[in-house]
Amino acid sequence: MAGSGEARDGRGSAGPAAGLAGWVTLSPGALGLRLVAASALIALLCVCAWRPGGRIPSAAMPFEARSQPTAPAPPASPPVALALFDLAEPGIDPVRVTAGIDPRTGLREDVLSRGNVAASAAPALWVTLTRGKDTGPAPTLFVLMARRAATGPALAVIKTGSRDQIRTKFGVVETLEITFGGPATRTCLGFVTREAAFRLDGWTCAPLGHPPATQALACSLDALSLVDLADPETTAAFSAPPPASRSCPLTKVADVSGRIGPTGQRSRNKK
């Protein structure tokens, strides 16, 4: 019969079973030789795969070991030349100036500071000049002060007080009483310009816990000077006269021809 013929022939659908049966019907010695040969072949393949210079097929490599494409690092921002940013107002602490590009907006920021906001025994001033093609309207004064305090002297705005407006040579300036928390708790007066093409913002702090005065802030802003040959329009705005109705106790004139040292501190001749 056909079934008997397939069984006697040992092929067809019974092929794999017949191959396994062939291993079973081998003598013990022949079976051992075949097992030894198979083991040696597997060992040889492993040695070839792991030898120096050998490669492992990507399918056999762990996910962590596969080479991952890496994005090129962004180019470093070029250094920004310091402008002649100064304060023609008396004070014991030196004026410090830094300049950079805000990575979020691409706008230039010049920062002028004097004193330490954490040292309550002395006055402190922090002014940021933001300029560029798309300066745009400033955010709310509270948001702006919180951002400046966190990224600058590492402070936090814990309370706000009264709002006001003052008029300076830059036009109307909005003010907000703010209390900083950090190394020391200190109440200062935050501000931001609202009419200039550029933006000035920051804060001023009176010494010994005295409440900040809007008159003192107006005098400090009127005492700011800037000379930047690459930005004649902003330079001209800083050269505008202060309002005639205000008298500020200025005792010196800003030295716009002085050199700026590597730390951003204005060098002055002492005679």
Side-chain angles (χ1 to χ4, degrees):
M1 293 185 294
S4 300
E6 290 181 1
R8 287 192 301 270
D9 187 49
R11 292 174 297 185
S13 61
L20 180 59
W23 278 77
V24 176
T25 56
L26 289 175
S27 63
L31 180 59
L33 289 176
R34 289 198 177 189
L35 291 175
V36 170
S39 300
L41 179 59
I42 293 174
L44 179 60
L45 291 175
C46 292
V47 171
C48 291
W50 289 96
R51 74 182 189 278
R55 293 187 177 182
I56 307 174
S58 60
M61 293 175 63
F63 178 77
E64 294 80 7
R66 299 178 189 175
S67 60
Q68 299 291 335
T70 56
S77 301
V80 178
L82 291 179
L84 296 176
F85 198 14
D86 203 359
L87 177 67
E89 192 172 46
I92 299 176
D93 294 321
V95 172
R96 298 177 295 274
V97 177
T98 61
I101 302 296
D102 186 343
R104 299 179 304 104
T105 62
L107 300 175
R108 172 175 176 137
E109 291 186 346
D110 298 81
V111 178
L112 180 149
S113 61
R114 170 184 276 179
N116 183 2
V117 69
S120 58
L125 177 68
W126 183 285
V127 182
T128 300
L129 167 62
T130 303
R131 45 189 171 141
K133 293 182 179 179
D134 299 316
T135 303
T140 64
L141 189 49
F142 171 79
V143 171
L144 191 57
M145 292 299 97
R147 183 187 304 165
R148 296 296 190 203
T151 58
L155 300 172
V157 177
I158 59 177
K159 188 173 64 173
T160 61
S162 60
R163 297 176 179 271
D164 201 353
Q165 287 187 345
I166 56 176
R167 180 162 293 277
T168 69
K169 67 180 181 180
F170 304 107
V172 173
V173 175
E174 180 185 349
T175 65
L176 174 66
E177 189 176 288
I178 53 177
T179 301
F180 288 120
T185 301
R186 191 168 187 182
T187 299
C188 304
L189 191 64
F191 64 88
V192 62
T193 55
R194 291 301 188 189
E195 296 182 345
F198 48 86
R199 184 166 71 237
L200 283 170
D201 65 80
W203 55 78
T204 182
C205 310
L208 301 175
H210 294 296
T214 56
Q215 174 72 12
L217 171 61
C219 288
S220 295
L221 294 180
D222 286 339
L224 291 173
S225 64
L226 176 78
V227 175
D228 188 348
L229 299 180
D231 190 356
E233 293 183 0
T234 304
T235 298
F238 275 78
S239 301
S245 59
R246 181 165 53 247
S247 176
C248 297
L250 298 182
T251 60
K252 73 182 184 68
V253 177
D255 181 12
V256 297
S257 62
R259 295 182 179 181
I260 299 176
T263 61
Q265 179 176 330
R266 185 88 59 199
S267 62
R268 295 181 172 85
N269 295 327
K270 297 181 179 180
K271 295 182 181 181

